[in-house]
Amino acid sequence: MDGTLLNEKMEVSDRNIQAIKDAQKAGIEFLIATGRGLSEAKPFLRNQVHPGYITLNGAEVFDSDEKLISSNPISTESQNKVVDYFHKYNVYFEVVTDKGIFSNDREARVNNLANLLVKLNPGTSFKQALRDTQERVKMMPMNFVDNYEHIFNDKSFKIMKLIGFNEHQHKVLAPMKKEITKNIKDVVVTSSSPNNVEVNSVNAQKGIALLQYAKKRNISADEIMAIGDNLNDYSMIKDAGVGVAMKNAIPVIKEIAQIETDNNVNDGVAQIIEKTIEDQKQG
């Protein structure tokens, strides 16, 4: 969603909404594949369309009726090790569970979302981004707690994703990511923006989830088009029959994609959908 389906105002434009409707009408199944949880992702669509969802980078998958069809949490041992690394590098982090998303610092939550807006949209000032974010946070389902101990100690919680935020991408996030990847073998570390690190079970990847979903629908890999812009999109761009990179995508995504569409501000998703439908009509 961020940097792909969402524009500079963190909205799904009317053109993108219409393109999704047109795709569904043309018999194309449309999925949202996001690092966000279902409760975070749904409000952006304003109840205008009802796709399936690959959420939390593939940790949870829902069909178009929002029925949970797969779940891949992080193991207890690994979640504790990841948290130790977040503490070691003094990185603020949030805990995404099967019972909701938790933050232990409201100010950090707002500031990190505002920084994300600025990074995705260089023309936006931090002051404006902060105003926009403060309004959007009110609509986002977030549970604020003093600390995470009760979540980690309660075995009824499944930890689906751990996401850390820091402005120092190269000085802090890069070495932390390298350590986690080297020392914890059953997790995968990705990013959806320059200021975050997202940790999932190694089985929770967008590409894996996408191919599993398609198999259940008797859809082959070469019939799949995947659109994305950042590292957490890498596996699905690589595994899909046609990988599409946003114009604003990072270089590594552009390198593995077969097609490039316009950026998120100019409705790049709608443009590639419209072209696909037109090509389909022409046979």
Side-chain angles (χ1 to χ4, degrees), residues 76-89:
T76 300
E77 182 182 359
S78 292
Q79 78 188 29
N80 294 334
K81 290 179 180 178
V82 172
V83 169
D84 286 343
Y85 280 115
F86 284 150
H87 289 317
K88 175 182 176 180
Y89 283 88

PDB file of all heavy atoms in Angstrom, residues 76-89:
ATOM      1  N   THR A  76       8.206 -18.259  19.470  1.00  0.00           N
ATOM      2  CA  THR A  76       8.466 -17.564  20.735  1.00  0.00           C
ATOM      3  C   THR A  76       9.950 -17.311  20.944  1.00  0.00           C
ATOM      4  O   THR A  76      10.371 -16.212  21.344  1.00  0.00           O
ATOM      5  CB  THR A  76       7.922 -18.392  21.917  1.00  0.00           C
ATOM      6  OG1 THR A  76       6.519 -18.573  21.746  1.00  0.00           O
ATOM      7  CG2 THR A  76       8.180 -17.682  23.243  1.00  0.00           C
ATOM      8  N   GLU A  77      10.776 -18.303  20.655  1.00  0.00           N
ATOM      9  CA  GLU A  77      12.222 -18.153  20.818  1.00  0.00           C
ATOM     10  C   GLU A  77      12.767 -17.030  19.951  1.00  0.00           C
ATOM     11  O   GLU A  77      13.558 -16.194  20.406  1.00  0.00           O
ATOM     12  CB  GLU A  77      12.917 -19.470  20.474  1.00  0.00           C
ATOM     13  CG  GLU A  77      14.428 -19.413  20.654  1.00  0.00           C
ATOM     14  CD  GLU A  77      15.126 -20.713  20.267  1.00  0.00           C
ATOM     15  OE1 GLU A  77      14.426 -21.670  19.867  1.00  0.00           O
ATOM     16  OE2 GLU A  77      16.358 -20.769  20.366  1.00  0.00           O
ATOM     17  N   SER A  78      12.317 -16.985  18.705  1.00  0.00           N
ATOM     18  CA  SER A  78      12.839 -15.976  17.782  1.00  0.00           C
ATOM     19  C   SER A  78      12.322 -14.579  18.102  1.00  0.00           C
ATOM     20  O   SER A  78      13.053 -13.594  17.954  1.00  0.00           O
ATOM     21  CB  SER A  78      12.482 -16.348  16.344  1.00  0.00           C
ATOM     22  OG  SER A  78      13.195 -17.507  15.956  1.00  0.00           O
ATOM     23  N   GLN A  79      11.068 -14.484  18.537  1.00  0.00           N
ATOM     24  CA  GLN A  79      10.543 -13.158  18.858  1.00  0.00           C
ATOM     25  C   GLN A  79      11.346 -12.531  20.004  1.00  0.00           C
ATOM     26  O   GLN A  79      11.637 -11.320  19.985  1.00  0.00           O
ATOM     27  CB  GLN A  79       9.061 -13.221  19.222  1.00  0.00           C
ATOM     28  CG  GLN A  79       8.769 -13.704  20.622  1.00  0.00           C
ATOM     29  CD  GLN A  79       7.308 -13.949  20.903  1.00  0.00           C
ATOM     30  OE1 GLN A  79       6.531 -14.273  20.016  1.00  0.00           O
ATOM     31  NE2 GLN A  79       6.934 -13.817  22.154  1.00  0.00           N
ATOM     32  N   ASN A  80      11.744 -13.343  20.976  1.00  0.00           N
ATOM     33  CA  ASN A  80      12.533 -12.829  22.089  1.00  0.00           C
ATOM     34  C   ASN A  80      13.914 -12.366  21.628  1.00  0.00           C
ATOM     35  O   ASN A  80      14.433 -11.342  22.099  1.00  0.00           O
ATOM     36  CB  ASN A  80      12.672 -13.895  23.177  1.00  0.00           C
ATOM     37  CG  ASN A  80      11.351 -14.228  23.845  1.00  0.00           C
ATOM     38  OD1 ASN A  80      10.446 -13.404  23.872  1.00  0.00           O
ATOM     39  ND2 ASN A  80      11.228 -15.442  24.363  1.00  0.00           N
ATOM     40  N   LYS A  81      14.506 -13.103  20.698  1.00  0.00           N
ATOM     41  CA  LYS A  81      15.817 -12.720  20.174  1.00  0.00           C
ATOM     42  C   LYS A  81      15.727 -11.412  19.378  1.00  0.00           C
ATOM     43  O   LYS A  81      16.598 -10.545  19.483  1.00  0.00           O
ATOM     44  CB  LYS A  81      16.368 -13.832  19.285  1.00  0.00           C
ATOM     45  CG  LYS A  81      16.780 -15.093  20.041  1.00  0.00           C
ATOM     46  CD  LYS A  81      17.289 -16.149  19.074  1.00  0.00           C
ATOM     47  CE  LYS A  81      17.701 -17.430  19.788  1.00  0.00           C
ATOM     48  NZ  LYS A  81      18.148 -18.474  18.817  1.00  0.00           N
ATOM     49  N   VAL A  82      14.671 -11.277  18.573  1.00  0.00           N
ATOM     50  CA  VAL A  82      14.490 -10.058  17.776  1.00  0.00           C
ATOM     51  C   VAL A  82      14.318  -8.852  18.695  1.00  0.00           C
ATOM     52  O   VAL A  82      14.931  -7.789  18.476  1.00  0.00           O
ATOM     53  CB  VAL A  82      13.277 -10.187  16.834  1.00  0.00           C
ATOM     54  CG1 VAL A  82      12.988  -8.845  16.150  1.00  0.00           C
ATOM     55  CG2 VAL A  82      13.524 -11.263  15.783  1.00  0.00           C
ATOM     56  N   VAL A  83      13.505  -9.001  19.723  1.00  0.00           N
ATOM     57  CA  VAL A  83      13.285  -7.913  20.676  1.00  0.00           C
ATOM     58  C   VAL A  83      14.602  -7.510  21.345  1.00  0.00           C
ATOM     59  O   VAL A  83      14.869  -6.319  21.558  1.00  0.00           O
ATOM     60  CB  VAL A  83      12.230  -8.315  21.727  1.00  0.00           C
ATOM     61  CG1 VAL A  83      12.194  -7.304  22.877  1.00  0.00           C
ATOM     62  CG2 VAL A  83      10.856  -8.411  21.076  1.00  0.00           C
ATOM     63  N   ASP A  84      15.443  -8.473  21.649  1.00  0.00           N
ATOM     64  CA  ASP A  84      16.756  -8.168  22.234  1.00  0.00           C
ATOM     65  C   ASP A  84      17.579  -7.293  21.298  1.00  0.00           C
ATOM     66  O   ASP A  84      18.277  -6.358  21.744  1.00  0.00           O
ATOM     67  CB  ASP A  84      17.514  -9.463  22.528  1.00  0.00           C
ATOM     68  CG  ASP A  84      16.968 -10.210  23.739  1.00  0.00           C
ATOM     69  OD1 ASP A  84      16.230  -9.583  24.536  1.00  0.00           O
ATOM     70  OD2 ASP A  84      17.272 -11.416  23.877  1.00  0.00           O
ATOM     71  N   TYR A  85      17.494  -7.554  19.988  1.00  0.00           N
ATOM     72  CA  TYR A  85      18.227  -6.722  19.019  1.00  0.00           C
ATOM     73  C   TYR A  85      17.646  -5.313  18.944  1.00  0.00           C
ATOM     74  O   TYR A  85      18.397  -4.328  18.834  1.00  0.00           O
ATOM     75  CB  TYR A  85      18.227  -7.372  17.634  1.00  0.00           C
ATOM     76  CG  TYR A  85      19.256  -8.469  17.500  1.00  0.00           C
ATOM     77  CD1 TYR A  85      18.879  -9.792  17.300  1.00  0.00           C
ATOM     78  CD2 TYR A  85      20.620  -8.185  17.566  1.00  0.00           C
ATOM     79  CE1 TYR A  85      19.821 -10.806  17.189  1.00  0.00           C
ATOM     80  CE2 TYR A  85      21.569  -9.191  17.447  1.00  0.00           C
ATOM     81  CZ  TYR A  85      21.162 -10.494  17.268  1.00  0.00           C
ATOM     82  OH  TYR A  85      22.106 -11.493  17.156  1.00  0.00           O
ATOM     83  N   PHE A  86      16.327  -5.197  18.998  1.00  0.00           N
ATOM     84  CA  PHE A  86      15.714  -3.867  19.010  1.00  0.00           C
ATOM     85  C   PHE A  86      16.201  -3.059  20.218  1.00  0.00           C
ATOM     86  O   PHE A  86      16.510  -1.873  20.100  1.00  0.00           O
ATOM     87  CB  PHE A  86      14.186  -3.977  19.043  1.00  0.00           C
ATOM     88  CG  PHE A  86      13.566  -4.358  17.726  1.00  0.00           C
ATOM     89  CD1 PHE A  86      12.380  -5.085  17.684  1.00  0.00           C
ATOM     90  CD2 PHE A  86      14.133  -3.982  16.524  1.00  0.00           C
ATOM     91  CE1 PHE A  86      11.791  -5.426  16.480  1.00  0.00           C
ATOM     92  CE2 PHE A  86      13.558  -4.321  15.311  1.00  0.00           C
ATOM     93  CZ  PHE A  86      12.380  -5.039  15.283  1.00  0.00           C
ATOM     94  N   HIS A  87      16.291  -3.718  21.373  1.00  0.00           N
ATOM     95  CA  HIS A  87      16.785  -3.036  22.571  1.00  0.00           C
ATOM     96  C   HIS A  87      18.268  -2.696  22.443  1.00  0.00           C
ATOM     97  O   HIS A  87      18.703  -1.604  22.827  1.00  0.00           O
ATOM     98  CB  HIS A  87      16.551  -3.913  23.808  1.00  0.00           C
ATOM     99  CG  HIS A  87      15.119  -4.030  24.215  1.00  0.00           C
ATOM    100  ND1 HIS A  87      14.261  -2.955  24.241  1.00  0.00           N
ATOM    101  CD2 HIS A  87      14.390  -5.110  24.622  1.00  0.00           C
ATOM    102  CE1 HIS A  87      13.062  -3.349  24.651  1.00  0.00           C
ATOM    103  NE2 HIS A  87      13.113  -4.658  24.871  1.00  0.00           N
ATOM    104  N   LYS A  88      19.033  -3.622  21.892  1.00  0.00           N
ATOM    105  CA  LYS A  88      20.465  -3.404  21.724  1.00  0.00           C
ATOM    106  C   LYS A  88      20.746  -2.156  20.894  1.00  0.00           C
ATOM    107  O   LYS A  88      21.659  -1.370  21.210  1.00  0.00           O
ATOM    108  CB  LYS A  88      21.105  -4.628  21.055  1.00  0.00           C
ATOM    109  CG  LYS A  88      22.586  -4.458  20.715  1.00  0.00           C
ATOM    110  CD  LYS A  88      23.129  -5.696  20.006  1.00  0.00           C
ATOM    111  CE  LYS A  88      24.577  -5.496  19.578  1.00  0.00           C
ATOM    112  NZ  LYS A  88      25.127  -6.688  18.877  1.00  0.00           N
ATOM    113  N   TYR A  89      19.963  -1.961  19.823  1.00  0.00           N
ATOM    114  CA  TYR A  89      20.176  -0.824  18.926  1.00  0.00           C
ATOM    115  C   TYR A  89      19.299   0.378  19.287  1.00  0.00           C
ATOM    116  O   TYR A  89      19.278   1.370  18.561  1.00  0.00           O
ATOM    117  CB  TYR A  89      19.920  -1.240  17.478  1.00  0.00           C
ATOM    118  CG  TYR A  89      21.050  -2.046  16.879  1.00  0.00           C
ATOM    119  CD1 TYR A  89      21.094  -3.431  17.005  1.00  0.00           C
ATOM    120  CD2 TYR A  89      22.095  -1.417  16.206  1.00  0.00           C
ATOM    121  CE1 TYR A  89      22.138  -4.176  16.466  1.00  0.00           C
ATOM    122  CE2 TYR A  89      23.150  -2.138  15.669  1.00  0.00           C
ATOM    123  CZ  TYR A  89      23.164  -3.515  15.800  1.00  0.00           C
ATOM    124  OH  TYR A  89      24.199  -4.248  15.271  1.00  0.00           O
TER     125      TYR A  89
END
